[in-house]
Amino acid sequence: MDISNLGARWVEVDLDVIKYNFEQIRELVPRPVKMLGVVKADAYGHGAVEVARVLEKLGIDMLGVTTVEEGKELREAGVTAPILVFGPFLKEDVNTIIDYCLTATIGNRESVRWLQDGLAQRGGTVKVHLKVETGMGRTGVWPRKALQVISEISAVSGLYLEGIYSHLATAMWKNKRYAQEQYAIFKNVLDNLARENINIPIKHLANSAAVLDLPHMQLDMVRVGTLLYGQYPAPELEKKIKLKDPWSLKAKVIYLRTLPAGHSVGYGRTYKAKRETKVAVLPLGFVDGLQTEPVQKPANILDLLKGIAKLVLHYLGHPLVSQPVIFPGGRGLIIGKVGMQLSMVDVTTLKGIEVGTVATVPARRTAIRPTLPVVYREEGRVKSVKVTSAAIWEKEIAVK
Ligand SMILES: *Cc1c(COP(=O)(O)O)cnc(C)c1O
């Protein structure tokens, strides 16, 4: 497939790398433990449909999304694996859950009643998993209410309680105390069920960080996202498996020039060339999601100090605050402020760079412009290209 007419910027996703990462995770999670592949948020920016198809081929037991709309999108693309919707749903979502055969999460008593009403009207069956609040402080029934909600679910014909789960808030921390406390609370609920002879087939708790660090929490199934996409939940976790990154943002050099020493670069003149500097202009900027990292409240004093140090370096015109752009001949740093659609890279020491040279640009994959073309590689070649232009969206709306 020819990708030369895609334009000067695009995303590449290597599906073989996702397969490779899956196999690595399977080394840590042997059968009979089931694996749920998390494909929420467009598979963390990799394309939910494309990733789901690959995971289905690999024999994934279940897929996970946050919203019923995400589940519906997968079904409409022909995905047949069980799909667990993590997020709470609304009354008006019930028909979609039934019609698209989605597995719903029960996090309160109202949602049981909504499903009951929907099933009475439409017939059919719905599989559900009960979510238990153990410390995330987000969604789920309180542990002491679990038995009661379970009996309410059992009383509804057509409703099948397939699973029970909870979600860890701090499994990526080095200090595992809170995660262990969450596990103990969950385990206590499971023990109570066993005492009442209630058997729920799939009990699950572990996310990526727990898969790496807390193997005793694997239970009947693990839910992995981050690891599949080649990232470690936190830099300090021991890298028990060697993962690869399937995602990259590409751009062609569209302009090259040499600036004399002392010349400034970009808006606000935040960078001044210390020596004669060869500058490559790349056609990517804020609008594409470049350098739009979310500003978070510092987690601790060290985090705060690092943030301040970065700001000081930035103020002094140090380009080291961003990760390097990778060219065939080496690495270059972004200099000056990133513009709306253009950015500048210092390539003074690199050889062989011309207009048209393809660079790999650092960016946050879940924050980039969703209309960038995506090239999917599989078995070493281009398998498909996804182009979502604003024009297509407009046309779809106009047709409706
Ligand atoms: C996102 C999510 C996961 C996956 O977490 P990772 O750390 O990316 O593996 C698992 N379970 C639930 C409920 C989630 O929302």
Side-chain angles (χ1 to χ4, degrees):
M1 199 179 278
D2 182 24
I3 60 165
S4 61
N5 58 353
L6 267 187
R9 54 198 88 61
W10 67 94
V11 167
E12 290 201 11
V13 175
D14 190 337
L15 298 173
D16 293 330
V17 170
I18 293 180
K19 288 183 206 168
Y20 166 87
N21 290 339
F22 173 91
E23 305 294 351
Q24 299 302 302
I25 300 162
R26 261 291 173 217
E27 304 265 305
L28 293 180
V29 186
R31 292 254 172 222
V33 179
K34 292 180 193 295
M35 202 192 308
L36 177 151
V38 180
V39 292
K40 69 188 181 194
D42 205 26
Y44 295 32
H46 298 72
V49 169
E50 290 77 5
V51 172
R53 285 184 183 144
V54 167
L55 294 176
E56 270 195 316
K57 268 191 262 169
L58 294 167
I60 199 85
D61 298 285
M62 207 176 282
L63 298 166
V65 295
T66 303
T67 68
V68 296
E69 288 79 13
E70 290 176 314
K72 180 177 164 185
E73 184 201 351
L74 292 175
R75 286 283 181 255
E76 285 181 337
V79 172
T80 58
I83 299 172
L84 175 61
V85 179
F86 297 140
F89 59 91
L90 296 169
K91 198 169 183 220
E92 47 268 42
D93 293 326
V94 166
N95 289 346
T96 310
I97 291 169
I98 299 174
D99 295 350
Y100 288 88
C101 191
L102 303 175
T103 305
T105 291
I106 298 294
N108 56 24
R109 301 170 65 185
E110 288 73 26
S111 56
V112 180
R113 243 180 292 123
W114 296 337
L115 285 170
Q116 181 173 26
D117 294 346
L119 286 167
Q121 278 178 18
R122 266 177 131 76
T125 56
V126 170
K127 284 190 286 186
V128 294
H129 287 212
L130 180 71
K131 178 92 183 278
V132 183
E133 169 66 62
T134 60
M136 181 69 152
R138 199 160 68 177
T139 61
V141 301
W142 292 108
R144 62 177 188 286
K145 292 275 170 66
L147 269 173
Q148 187 191 342
V149 180
I150 287 169
S151 72
E152 287 174 23
I153 294 169
S154 313
V156 179
S157 75
L159 215 50
Y160 170 57
L161 181 58
E162 180 193 53
I164 180 166
Y165 73 107
S166 192
H167 196 31
L168 298 167
T170 62
M172 66 291 198
W173 285 5
K174 241 194 191 134
N175 183 340
K176 303 294 184 197
R177 221 191 64 206
Y178 194 74
Q180 299 286 11
E181 282 170 18
Q182 283 196 262
Y183 176 68
I185 293 168
F186 190 56
K187 196 72 181 39
N188 191 40
V189 173
L190 299 183
D191 291 344
N192 287 341
L193 295 180
R195 227 171 287 125
E196 302 280 330
N197 280 319
I198 297 168
N199 178 36
I200 303 177
I202 311 177
K203 301 168 273 293
H204 50 114
L205 178 65
N207 56 3
S208 287
V211 163
L212 286 182
D213 273 12
L214 300 159
H216 63 290
M217 297 189 191
Q218 289 183 6
L219 305 175
D220 299 310
M221 182 167 79
V222 298
R223 307 185 302 266
V224 284
T226 305
L227 295 178
L228 272 179
Y229 306 113
Q231 297 180 309
Y232 297 89
E236 63 271 21
L237 286 190
E238 194 196 332
K239 300 190 172 36
K240 285 190 184 126
I241 45 177
K242 183 108 186 55
L243 301 171
K244 296 182 190 166
D245 190 347
W247 190 93
S248 53
L249 174 60
K250 306 283 187 187
K252 287 179 183 168
V253 173
I254 53 163
Y255 193 86
L256 267 175
R257 74 121 57 87
T258 301
L259 294 177
H263 205 287
S264 67
V265 178
Y267 287 119
R269 309 188 68 203
T270 58
Y271 184 83
K272 287 206 179 69
K274 286 170 198 66
R275 47 160 160 67
E276 194 176 76
T277 300
K278 194 167 169 193
V279 179
V281 178
L282 295 178
L284 284 170
F286 281 126
V287 76
D288 304 295
L290 221 58
Q291 291 195 352
T292 47
E293 300 287 310
V295 178
Q296 305 257 3
K297 181 173 169 288
N300 49 44
I301 287 284
L302 192 67
D303 222 29
L304 176 68
L305 292 177
K306 272 191 208 159
I308 294 171
K310 265 190 177 184
L311 279 176
V312 172
L313 281 175
H314 198 44
Y315 174 75
L316 295 173
H318 214 290
L320 264 174
V321 284
S322 65
Q323 288 174 290
V325 174
I326 299 163
F327 295 89
R331 292 151 178 259
L333 292 171
I334 292 179
I335 51 175
K337 275 194 179 167
V338 166
M340 185 71 94
Q341 292 175 288
L342 298 174
S343 48
M344 287 72 80
V345 184
D346 180 350
V347 293
T348 310
T349 59
L350 305 184
K351 292 209 166 55
I353 293 183
E354 300 164 14
V355 167
T357 298
V358 177
T360 302
V361 184
R364 197 181 173 89
R365 63 197 66 186
T366 47
I368 60 146
R369 180 162 62 86
T371 50
L372 284 170
V374 187
V375 173
Y376 286 96
R377 293 185 183 276
E378 196 171 17
E379 278 145 22
R381 57 189 175 79
V382 174
K383 186 197 171 219
S384 61
V385 176
K386 184 162 77 181
V387 184
T388 325
S389 75
I392 291 174
W393 286 353
E394 271 169 33
K395 213 161 79 190
E396 278 190 6
I397 290 162
V399 169
K400 281 177 196 153

